[in-house]
C-alpha cells in the first residue's frame, strides 16, 4: 500500500510540511527531513526548485532562487535522496514544475522516484486533463500518486472529474492566491472548506496555501483531513535554522 | 489548416495550456468565448472602426525603390511603424480590450519588456476608461524610462517585477500571479503569441489584419494577392504571426523568421531560440525555449529589448520544426547597421527589432522577380538613446 494511503488510515488529521530543496543550504535536505520526521510531521513535500515558479508567492520564489544558486538540480536532489528510506518512513512527495521533469525525461524521472521511495508528485502546471491523457499510465506503472489542486473557483463538475482521476489526496488551495499570500482565514474560506467537505469526495482533501500558525492550521483541518505549511516554514527556517525545526512544529499542534 | 492551431490548442507538438489549476477558470472562460465574441458582428464593427479611426489603418504597403534596386529584387515594407503608438502592438491590445469588455472585466493587467506592449495596453485602457496595471522587470524599468513615463502619463500603474532576473519573463510571471490572485474581475492582455491556449491563437487573429491588408494591397500593386517571401523579426512572434497568418497554408509563399543572435549564437549572450532552444514549457505553453540542461529557464540577450524573450510562440516553434519557415539569426552589430541603412536609404528610422529583419538582405539572396514583403513592425523613436550610444551621434 502507498505510504500516503497508510498515513491517512493511521491519522485523523495530517500535518504536512513543504520546503524548497537546497535552501537555506544545499546539503540541508536530509537533515530537514530527519528533523521533520522526529518532530512528528506526517508527510513532507520536497520542492524541486524552478527558475520561474509562477504559482508561488515571494517566499517560495526566493527560496527557489537561492536553492538554484546554491547548486540544487534534479540530479543533485536525487543523489541526496538516494538512501533516504534507510531512515525516513513518512510519505515523501516531490513538488515541482513540469519543465525540469520534462528535461530529465518523464519516464526516467518516474523510475528514479520509485527507486528512491518517493510516494507521489505534485506538479502545479501539469493540468489534470493532459495528465490523464498522456502520463497517468506511466505514473501508475511506477506506483506514483499524482495529486491535483483545486481552488475556490474550481467548478463542482471539474472537482468531481479531478476526484475521479486523483489518488492520494486533493490539494485544496485555500483561496484565490499564489502560495503564502494569507495570514488568517475568514468566512469565505470557511464556507468553501465546508462546501467541499459536503461534496463527500472519495479522495481525502488537504488544505494548503496561507497556513502559517496554529490558528490557521485548526481552521483548515476542521473540515479537511490535513494541512500543508510551506512559506511560513521556509521563512522560519531562513531565520532560525534547521536545529529549531521542533519549535516550529510544536507551535502548530 | 496544417499550421493553424488545432481544436486542442496545439500547433503540431507545441502549444496547449500548461497552467496551474487556479488559472483554469480564467483561461477556460476565454477559450470558450474568444472565437464567438471576436467573430460577432458587433465586435467586428467596433474593432474595424477603431483600427481605421484610432490606429490609422490600413497601414501602407510601401514599395522601397532604392532598396529594391540595390538588392535587385522587389522589396515592399508593411508600414506597421505608422500605427498609433508606433508599432503593430496596438492591433492586439484593441482586440483584447474589446474582448475584456465583453467578458465583463473591469481591471486589466499586462506584462511588458521594452515597454511597447505596456504603452499599447495603457493606451487602450485610457481609451476605454479601464484600470490598467503593467508589470515590468525592475531592470527594464531602469533601462526604459521614457516608456515608463508614457504609461504613467496614460494613467497606468507600473509595478516592478523584483523576482528572478527582473526582466520580461519575470514580469510575465508576476502578471500571471496577479491573475491567479484576481480571477474574477481581471483580464490579462498578453502582448505576444505566447502563453497558454487560446492566447497564441487569439493574438495571431488580432494581428492577422497585417496579412489581410497585405493581400489586398499586393493584388492592387502586383496583380496577385500573395508575395514570394514574407520576412519578420521574431521575439515572442506577434508581428511575424500577423504577417504570416493568411499565407501559412499557401505553399507559394516562403516564410522567413529573423531572430536576434545578440553577440553571436555561441557567445552565451543571444536570443536565437530556434538555434539554442529545446522543447519545454514556459508561461503555460509547450514550445522551444532557452534553458539549462536541468530545465531552468535562462536569460536571453539582444540589444533590442523586444526580441530578448527566452522562448518563441508555439506557432513559430511548429513552423520551425516542420520546416515551413526559414529561420535566420542576426547579431546586434548588423541589426544596428541596418537601422542606419534603412534610415538613410528610405527615410525610415526603424525600431532595432525591425532592423533585424532587414539585415537578412546582406546574406539571403532573392531573385529579381521575387516579391518580398518585410514587416516594418515598429519605429525607432524609442531606440534613439541606443542608436545615439552606438553611433556616437
Amino acid at each position: 500500500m502507498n505510504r500516503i494511503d497508510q498515513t491517512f488510515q493511521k491519522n485523523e488529521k495530517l500535518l504536512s510540511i513543504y520546503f524548497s530543496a537546497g535552501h537555506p543550504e544545499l546539503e540541508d535536505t536530509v537533515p530537514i527531513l530527519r528533523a521533520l520526521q522526529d518532530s512528528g510531521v506526517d508527510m513532507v513535500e520536497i520542492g524541486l526548485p524552478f527558475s520561474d515558479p509562477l504559482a508561488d508567492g515571494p517566499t517560495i520564489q526566493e527560496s527557489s532562487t537561492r536553492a538554484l544558486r546554491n547548486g540544487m538540480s534534479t540530479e543533485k536532489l536525487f543523489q541526496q535522496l538516494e538512501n533516504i528510506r534507510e531512515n525516513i518512513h513518512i510519505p515523501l512527495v516531490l513538488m515541482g514544475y513540469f519543465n525540469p521533469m520534462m528535461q530529465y525525461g518523464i519516464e526516467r524521472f518516474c523510475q528514479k522516484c520509485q527507486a528512491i521511495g518517493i510516494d507521489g508528485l505534485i506538479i502545479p502546471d501539469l493540468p489534470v486533463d493532459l495528465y490523464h491523457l498522456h502520463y497517468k499510465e506511466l505514473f501508475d506503472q511506477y506506483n506514483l500518486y499524482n495529486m491535483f489542486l483545486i481552488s475556490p473557483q474550481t467548478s463542482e463538475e471539474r472537482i468531481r472529474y479531478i476526484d475521479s482521476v486523483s489518488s492520494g489526496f486533493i490539494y485544496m488551495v485555500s483561496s484565490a492566491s499564489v502560495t503564502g499570500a494569507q495570514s488568517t482565514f475568514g468566512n469565505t474560506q470557511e464556507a468553501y472548506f465546508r462546501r467541499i467537505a459536503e461534496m463527500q469526495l472519495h479522495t481525502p482533501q488537504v488544505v494548503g496555501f496561507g497556513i502559517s500558525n496554529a490558528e490557521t492550521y485548526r481552521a483548515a483541518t476542521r473540515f479537511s483531513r490535513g494541512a500543508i505549511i510551506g512559506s511560513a516554514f521556509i521563512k522560519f527556517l531562513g531565520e532560525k535554522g534547521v536545529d529549531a525545526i521542533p519549535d516550529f512544529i510544536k507551535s502548530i499542534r | 489548416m496544417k499550421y493553424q492551431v488545432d481544436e486542442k490548442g496545439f500547433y503540431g507538438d507545441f502549444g496547449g495550456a500548461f497552467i496551474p489549476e487556479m488559472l483554469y477558470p480564467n483561461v477556460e472562460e476565454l477559450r470558450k468565448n474568444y472565437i464567438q465574441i471576436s467573430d460577432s458582428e458587433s465586435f467586428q464593427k467596433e474593432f474595424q472602426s477603431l483600427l481605421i479611426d484610432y490606429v490609422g489603418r490600413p497601414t501602407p504597403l510601401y514599395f522601397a525603390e532604392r532598396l529594391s534596386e540595390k538588392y535587385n529584387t522587389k522589396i515592399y515594407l508593411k508600414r506597421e511603424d505608422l500605427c498609433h503608438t508606433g508599432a503593430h502592438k496596438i492591433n492586439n491590445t484593441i482586440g483584447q480590450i474589446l474582448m475584456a469588455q465583453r467578458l465583463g472585466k473591469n481591471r486589466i493587467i499586462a506584462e511588458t519588456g521594452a515597454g511597447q506592449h505596456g504603452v499599447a495596453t495603457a493606451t487602450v485602457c485610457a481609451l476605454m476608461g479601464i484600470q490598467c496595471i503593467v508589470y515590468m522587470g525592475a531592470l527594464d524599468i531602469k533601462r526604459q524610462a521614457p516608456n515608463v513615463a508614457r504609461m504613467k502619463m496614460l494613467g497606468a500603474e507600473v509595478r516592478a517585477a523584483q523576482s528572478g532576473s527582473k526582466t520580461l519573463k519575470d514580469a510575465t510571471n508576476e502578471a500571471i500571479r496577479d491573475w491567479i490572485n484576481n480571477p474574477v474581475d481581471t483580464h490579462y492582455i498578453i502582448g505576444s503569441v505566447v502563453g497558454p491556449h487560446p492566447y497564441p491563437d487569439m493574438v495571431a487573429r488580432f494581428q492577422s489584419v497585417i496579412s489581410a491588408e497585405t493581400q489586398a494591397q499586393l493584388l492592387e500593386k502586383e496583380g496577385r494577392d500573395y508575395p514570394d517571401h514574407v520576412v519578420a523579426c521574431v521575439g515572442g512572434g506577434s508581428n511575424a504571426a500577423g504577417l504570416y497568418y493568411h499565407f501559412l497554408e499557401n505553399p507559394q509563399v516562403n516564410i522567413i523568421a529573423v531572430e536576434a543572435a545578440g553577440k553571436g549564437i555561441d557567445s552565451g549572450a543571444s536570443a536565437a531560440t530556434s538555434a539554442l532552444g529545446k522543447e519545454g514549457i514556459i508561461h503555460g505553453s509547450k514550445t522551444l525555449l532557452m534553458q539549462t540542461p536541468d530545465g531552468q529557464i535562462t536569460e536571453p540577450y539582444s540589444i533590442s529589448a523586444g526580441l530578448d524573450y527566452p522562448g518563441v510562440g508555439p506557432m513559430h516553434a511548429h513552423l520551425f520544426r516542420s520546416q515551413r519557415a526559414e529561420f535566420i539569426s542576426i547579431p546586434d552589430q548588423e541589426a544596428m547597421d541596418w537601422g542606419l541603412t534603412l534610415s538613410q536609404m528610405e527615410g525610415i528610422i526603424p525600431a532595432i527589432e525591425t532592423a533585424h529583419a532587414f539585415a537578412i538582405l546582406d546574406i539571403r539572396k532573392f531573385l529579381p522577380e521575387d516579391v518580398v514583403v518585410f514587416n516594418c513592425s515598429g519605429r525607432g523613436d524609442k531606440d534613439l538613446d541606443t542608436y545615439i550610444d552606438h553611433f556616437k551621434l
Side-chain angles (χ1 to χ4, degrees), chain A residues 51 53 56 61 99 158 177, chain B residues 21 163 177 181 291 296-297:
Chain A
S51 55
D56 285 301
Q61 287 170 44
N99 194 52
R158 191 156 167 92
S177 76
Chain B
E21 189 60 34
S163 59
R177 287 177 188 125
N181 289 332
Q291 51 183 317
Q296 309 300 336
I297 299 172

Side-chain angles (χ1 to χ4, degrees), chain B residues 154-314:
Chain B
L154 290 159
E157 181 192 336
V158 180
R159 287 190 191 166
Q162 300 286 1
S163 59
S165 50
K166 305 180 189 194
T167 59
L168 175 60
K169 79 179 173 73
D170 310 285
T172 309
N173 293 336
E174 285 305 322
I176 291 173
R177 287 177 188 125
D178 181 307
W179 212 20
I180 289 174
N181 289 332
N182 299 283
V184 180
D185 65 341
T186 298
H187 176 71
Y188 177 20
I189 301 192
I190 294 185
S192 192
V193 286
V194 301
H197 177 67
Y199 276 102
D201 183 48
M202 179 171 70
V203 176
R205 282 164 183 260
F206 291 147
Q207 292 293 359
S208 72
V209 63
I210 300 171
S211 51
E213 286 176 6
T214 302
Q215 285 181 310
Q217 290 164 325
L218 278 177
L219 190 60
E220 202 175 289
K221 291 173 199 286
E222 291 288 332
R224 57 173 159 116
D225 69 353
Y226 62 92
D228 299 295
H229 304 271
V230 283
V231 187
C233 64
V234 174
S238 70
N239 90 78
L243 180 65
Y244 304 163
Y245 197 87
H246 292 285
F247 304 120
L248 286 170
E249 315 293 336
N250 182 348
Q252 288 165 291
V253 182
N254 181 47
I255 293 174
I256 301 177
V258 186
E259 292 182 307
K263 293 178 178 161
I265 286 188
D266 300 318
S267 66
S270 175
T273 307
S274 66
L276 299 168
K278 275 187 63 193
E279 188 171 322
I281 302 213
I282 181 170
H283 300 138
S285 180
K286 189 194 269 191
T287 187
L288 295 171
L289 61 127
M290 291 166 54
Q291 51 183 317
T292 67
D294 189 44
Q296 309 300 336
I297 299 172
T298 53
E299 188 59 19
Y301 165 82
S302 161
I303 193 163
S304 112
L307 298 182
D308 65 357
Y309 183 69
V312 287

Side-chain angles (χ1 to χ4, degrees), chain B residues 378-389:
Chain B
R379 60 176 172 248
D381 307 34
K382 69 177 178 68
D383 294 319
L384 267 189
D385 282 346
T386 315
Y387 282 136
I388 289 168
D389 270 2

Side-chain angles (χ1 to χ4, degrees), chain B residues 20 44 54 106 110 158 186 208 219 223-224 264 326 336 374:
Chain B
Q44 278 302 324
Y54 188 71
N106 55 27
V158 180
T186 298
S208 72
L219 190 60
R224 57 173 159 116
E326 199 180 313
M336 294 301 285
F374 284 84

Side-chain angles (χ1 to χ4, degrees), chain A residues 49-56 61 68 72-75 98-100 102-103 124-128 130 135 149-151 153-154 158 162 173 176-178 209, chain B residues 8 10 17-22 24-25 163-164 169-170 173-174 176-177 180-184 278-281 283-284 286 289 291-297:
Chain A
F50 182 47
S51 55
D52 295 73
L54 46 76
D56 285 301
Q61 287 170 44
L68 291 172
M72 186 43 76
S73 66
T74 308
E75 197 70 66
F98 196 44
N99 194 52
M102 265 179 81
Q103 304 313 317
D125 60 343
L126 177 61
V128 59
L130 288 167
Y135 302 105
L149 279 60
I150 62 170
S151 86
Q153 265 68 41
T154 312
R158 191 156 167 92
I162 288 171
V173 175
S177 76
V178 292
F209 288 34
Chain B
K8 292 199 170 103
F10 281 84
F18 292 82
I19 48 169
E21 189 60 34
M22 296 84 86
Y24 179 83
S163 59
K169 79 179 173 73
D170 310 285
N173 293 336
E174 285 305 322
I176 291 173
R177 287 177 188 125
I180 289 174
N181 289 332
N182 299 283
V184 180
K278 275 187 63 193
E279 188 171 322
I281 302 213
H283 300 138
K286 189 194 269 191
L289 61 127
Q291 51 183 317
T292 67
D294 189 44
Q296 309 300 336
I297 299 172

